C-alpha cells in the first residue's frame, strides 16, 4: 500500500497546485468574466454534472478495463470498485456539506448585491432557491443566461466540491492503477481535465479554493483504499510478461 500511497500522493500534489496558489493569493470570485471563456468552463464542468457525469463515468470505466485487461471476473470486480469509490466519495461529500453548510460564492454575491440574506436563502427548499435566483437575476444581463440557469440548478452548499471529488478521484485512479502500465498520456489527460474541472468551479462562482483542496485530499484517501482493493482482489497492477514488450514499444513511440 505504501507504493500506492506515494504515487497517488504525487498526483494529488499536482492537483493541489492550482487551488492552493489561488487560495494563498487571496483571489476572490467576482462575476463579469468573458462569456465565451465562461461557456468553455461551463462545458468542462458539465462533463461531471448529471447526466453527462454518468457518461463520463462509463467511458472512463471502459477505458480503464481495456488498459488493465483483467479477466472477466477481475474486470467485474474492478468495475464495482471503481463505481464504489466514486459513490462513496459523493456520499462523503453530501454528509460534510450538510454539516458545514458553507454558502456558495454566487450566493454570497447575491446577498451583497441583491440583498438576499444567505440564511434566508438556504432556509428555502431547493426548488424555491432556484426560483429566487431566477427572479433576482432576470434583468441581470451581465450574467450569461447559461450561467444563471446553472446557478438555479446548483443551489446546495459549497464545502467540499463534489465535482472536484469526481474528477480528482478519476485522475488519481489513473495514477494509482495505470502508472504501472505506463499509460502516461492517459494520466496526463486526466490530471489536466481534473484541474480544468476544478478551475471551472472557481470561475463559475460555485466554490472557494478551500473546497477544492479538501475535496482533493478526501479523494486521495479514498483512491489509496480503492487502488489497494483492486490490487488485492483483481490481481497485480504490474503488467504480465506478454504486455511488457507492448509497453516498451509504446514508450519508444511516445518518446
Amino acid at each position: 500500500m505504501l507504493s500506492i500511497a506515494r504515487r497517488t500522493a504525487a498526483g494529488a500534489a499536482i492537483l493541489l497546485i492550482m487551488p492552493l496558489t489561488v487560495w494563498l493569493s487571496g483571489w476572490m470570485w467576482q462575476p463579469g468574466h468573458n462569456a465565451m471563456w465562461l461557456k468553455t468552463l461551463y462545458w468542462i464542468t458539465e462533463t461531471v454534472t448529471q447526466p453527462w457525469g454518468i457518461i463520463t463515468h462509463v467511458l472512463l470505466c471502459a477505458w480503464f478495463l481495456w488498459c488493465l485487461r483483467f479477466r472477466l471476473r477481475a474486470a467485474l470486480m474492478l468495475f464495482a470498485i471503481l463505481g464504489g469509490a466514486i459513490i462513496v466519495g459523493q456520499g462523503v461529500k453530501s454528509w460534510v456539506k450538510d454539516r458545514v453548510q458553507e454558502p456558495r460564492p454566487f450566493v454570497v454575491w447575491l446577498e451583497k448585491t441583491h440583498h438576499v440574506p444567505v440564511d434566508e436563502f438556504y432556509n428555502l427548499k431547493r426548488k424555491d432557491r432556484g426560483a429566487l435566483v431566477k427572479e433576482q437575476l432576470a434583468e441581470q444581463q451581465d450574467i450569461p443566461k447559461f450561467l444563471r440557469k446553472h446557478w438555479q440548478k446548483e443551489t446546495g452548499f459549497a464545502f467540499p466540491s463534489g465535482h472536484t471529488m469526481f474528477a480528482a478521484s478519476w485522475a488519481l485512479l489513473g495514477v494509482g492503477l495505470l502508472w504501472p502500465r505506463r499509460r502516461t498520456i492517459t494520466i496526463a489527460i486526466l490530471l489536466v481535465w481534473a484541474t480544468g474541472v476544478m478551475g471551472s468551479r472557481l470561475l463559475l462562482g460555485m466554490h472557494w479554493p478551500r473546497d477544492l483542496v479538501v475535496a482533493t485530499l478526501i479523494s486521495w484517501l479514498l483512491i489509496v483504499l480503492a487502488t489497494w482493493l483492486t490490487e488485492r482482489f483483481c490481481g497485480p497492477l504490474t503488467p504480465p510478461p506478454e504486455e511488457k514488450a507492448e509497453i516498451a514499444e509504446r514508450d519508444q513511440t511516445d518518446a
Side-chain angles (χ1 to χ4, degrees):
M1 181 179 277
L2 184 59
S3 62
I4 293 171
R6 283 175 176 170
R7 66 173 177 266
T8 52
I14 292 172
L15 293 178
L16 287 171
I17 291 173
M18 183 275 290
L20 282 175
T21 300
V22 174
W23 192 357
L24 294 173
S25 73
W27 176 86
M28 296 294 290
W29 173 82
Q30 289 292 333
H33 298 284
N34 179 273
M36 287 297 295
W37 174 235
L38 288 176
K39 188 72 171 183
T40 301
L41 293 170
Y42 170 74
W43 283 114
I44 292 173
T45 219
E46 282 293 281
T47 63
V48 178
T49 307
Q50 304 306 332
W52 303 108
I54 296 174
I55 297 173
T56 301
H57 176 79
V58 171
L59 290 175
L60 287 173
C61 276
W63 179 246
F64 273 56
L65 290 172
W66 188 88
C67 289
L68 294 168
R69 302 180 190 180
F70 288 141
R71 294 182 181 276
L72 179 59
R73 182 177 178 182
L76 292 174
M77 181 65 72
L78 174 63
F79 188 84
I81 291 172
L82 294 178
I86 300 301
I87 291 171
V88 169
Q90 293 303 302
V92 170
K93 173 265 300 182
S94 297
W95 184 84
V96 175
K97 278 181 183 287
D98 288 341
R99 278 148 185 81
V100 177
Q101 298 189 354
E102 177 189 67
R104 294 191 185 277
F106 84 85
V107 176
V108 174
W109 174 79
L110 276 176
E111 181 178 55
K112 293 179 179 178
T113 59
H114 290 260
H115 309 292
V116 178
V118 169
D119 291 341
E120 289 185 18
F121 179 86
Y122 281 109
N123 282 333
L124 297 172
K125 294 182 179 179
R126 278 183 176 267
K127 184 178 179 180
D128 295 330
R129 293 177 204 166
L132 179 59
V133 172
K134 182 178 180 179
E135 175 190 341
Q136 291 293 321
L137 300 181
E139 304 299 326
Q140 192 90 29
Q141 298 304 315
D142 58 330
I143 306 294
K145 186 176 180 180
F146 69 86
L147 185 53
R148 281 179 271 157
K149 287 187 174 181
H150 188 59
W151 287 352
Q152 291 167 36
K153 182 180 177 182
E154 300 280 350
T155 59
F157 295 109
F159 182 90
S161 168
H163 283 69
T164 294
M165 289 188 69
F166 182 96
S169 292
W170 273 112
L172 295 178
L173 280 169
V175 176
L177 297 175
L178 302 184
W179 179 255
R181 252 91 169 172
R182 295 298 183 266
R183 291 284 178 180
T184 52
I185 294 177
T186 294
I187 293 170
I189 290 172
L190 287 171
L191 288 170
V192 170
W193 166 68
T195 301
V197 170
M198 294 162 72
S200 74
R201 304 311 286 163
L202 290 176
L203 291 173
L204 293 175
M206 303 304 293
H207 286 287
W208 313 92
R210 59 181 173 268
D211 305 340
L212 313 185
V213 171
V214 173
T216 301
L217 294 175
I218 294 173
S219 296
W220 174 67
L221 293 173
L222 291 173
I223 295 315
V224 169
L225 177 59
T227 305
W228 176 76
L229 289 173
T230 300
E231 190 170 50
R232 181 178 177 86
F233 293 107
C234 300
L237 299 177
T238 52
E242 58 268 23
E243 277 189 52
K244 289 183 178 179
E246 177 190 335
I247 292 172
E249 182 179 347
R250 188 170 64 241
D251 287 344
Q252 290 180 353
T253 302
D254 294 342

